[in-house]
Amino acid sequence: MATETDSSQGAFSRWASSAIESPQKVYRAMFYVAMIFFLFTTLFPFYWLLVLALTPNEAITSFGFPPVPHGFNPEAFVNVFTTVPFHVYMFNSFVLGIATTAIVLVLASLAGYVFGRLDFPGKGPLMLLILAVSYFPPAAFIIPLFRLFTGNVSVLGISSLNLFNTPFAMILPFSALFMPLSIFILSTFYGQIPDGLEDAARIEGTTRLGALFRVIMPLSAPGVATAGVLTFISVYNEFFFSFLMTSGEPGSWAPIVWGILSYQGQYTELYNLMAAASIVGVLPVAILVVVAQEKIVSGLTAGALKE
């Protein structure tokens, strides 16, 4: 009788009946749905870029949806370097990212030490004020910073330096915008280091700064790696300040996004080269994330807890 009743039900009804008896099926189904949605939304743009890069530019106009290859032209990955000096744009992005990361890690370590290991009046409100800086949209700073970095601000008759088309016009605002998050991450890590370890280092004769760079920072390697990698990736992908603080020429420290946009001219737009350049440009960041994945995950999860 029960078998006849089951056979009279549809497939979804039978699955729902079994899911009520075994909720693990529901959790497993929700996991697969979420995983498929995540993989589709993250990998499909890369698939589309790859199809665009491998398709000859004259055949791209006949694209439909979903995109499928219309030819095979791997030369696009070579032409990105011969059409424009794309390697110079990549070099500029690397220099901007590494310089900003170094500045942020040094200053954020000092600030993180103060907030993480010292007690002083107004500590909590001051930390909230620093974190509030990261929530301001970059557009709120662009006009005063543009006037400041182009020599249009005078104080007591002394004009500001003209930093337009120099790396300092980007490194300075990048450091200010990405430093609050690093301070928060590092202060959380530094606060978890036992006082006895720092006291032992100071008894041996080192200073507070010596204890910071010789004991506390090595013990907080996941937090330092997390702050450094997140800062580098954010600067490497940044476009807003880079677009306004440079003229877009490779010799004026224009970053990688300017290089991708340089494949479009007044009468032609080389979509295949733009897609190939996007893939080439994202490879260093993808490799960095894969290599530092363990440090990033452990840093974010450990930094979220405070013993």
Side-chain angles (χ1 to χ4, degrees):
M1 184 66 181
T3 304
E4 294 177 355
T5 303
D6 293 341
S7 60
S8 63
Q9 294 178 339
F12 180 77
S13 298
R14 291 196 299 273
W15 180 86
S17 300
S18 61
I20 294 174
E21 299 175 356
S22 177
Q24 293 297 331
K25 290 185 177 180
V26 180
Y27 301 145
R28 193 180 302 114
M30 292 174 64
F31 169 76
Y32 286 127
V33 170
M35 184 179 65
I36 292 173
F37 176 78
F38 176 77
L39 291 177
F40 178 78
T41 54
T42 55
L43 297 182
F44 183 75
F46 289 101
Y47 166 74
W48 200 333
L49 280 176
L50 185 62
V51 171
L52 283 174
L54 295 177
T55 302
N57 198 57
E58 58 273 13
I60 288 180
T61 54
S62 59
F63 257 38
F65 189 88
V68 292
H70 287 60
F72 184 70
N73 181 33
E75 292 182 358
F77 290 95
V78 178
N79 295 335
V80 294
F81 296 102
T82 58
T83 306
V84 300
F86 190 68
H87 57 285
V88 179
Y89 289 105
M90 292 187 68
F91 174 78
N92 294 341
S93 291
F94 271 108
V95 172
L96 294 174
I98 293 173
T100 305
T101 302
I103 294 174
V104 167
L105 286 183
V106 171
L107 297 181
S109 294
L110 297 175
Y113 178 85
V114 173
F115 283 102
R117 303 192 64 81
L118 302 180
D119 292 324
F120 55 90
K123 178 180 174 180
L126 187 57
M127 174 58 85
L128 291 176
L129 183 62
I130 292 175
L131 290 177
V133 175
S134 61
Y135 292 103
F136 278 82
F141 304 103
I142 190 61
I143 293 178
L145 287 180
F146 185 81
R147 288 179 57 81
L148 177 66
F149 292 155
T150 52
N152 291 314
V153 176
S154 298
V155 178
L156 300 177
I158 301 175
S159 299
S160 59
L161 296 176
N162 187 358
L163 301 178
F164 189 73
N165 281 338
T166 68
F168 303 103
M170 290 166 282
I171 291 175
L172 292 177
F174 290 163
S175 302
L177 288 175
F178 300 128
M179 191 173 296
L181 178 62
S182 298
I183 293 175
F184 177 74
I185 294 174
L186 294 179
S187 63
T188 305
F189 269 87
Y190 293 169
Q192 297 177 354
I193 303 297
D195 294 336
L197 294 176
E198 183 182 0
D199 295 339
R202 297 192 63 188
I203 291 174
E204 292 295 329
T206 187
T207 61
R208 279 190 180 275
L209 284 178
L212 169 62
F213 290 106
R214 294 173 182 171
V215 178
I216 297 176
M217 284 187 68
L219 292 176
S220 305
V224 176
T226 302
V229 170
L230 292 180
T231 301
F232 179 82
I233 293 175
S234 299
V235 175
Y236 189 83
N237 296 325
E238 203 280 339
F239 177 65
F240 186 76
F241 280 102
S242 305
F243 185 77
L244 296 174
M245 294 299 182
T246 69
S247 61
E249 300 298 326
S252 60
W253 292 96
I256 195 170
V257 180
W258 266 113
I260 296 174
L261 295 177
S262 64
Y263 296 107
Q264 61 180 0
Q266 184 176 2
Y267 301 106
T268 59
E269 293 183 343
L270 304 175
Y271 292 112
N272 60 336
L273 296 189
M274 295 174 72
S278 300
I279 295 175
V280 172
V282 82
L283 283 180
V285 176
I287 295 173
L288 176 63
V289 171
V290 171
V291 172
Q293 180 183 11
E294 185 178 353
K295 293 288 185 183
I296 295 174
V297 172
S298 62
L300 291 176
T301 54
L305 299 175
K306 186 173 183 179
E307 296 179 354

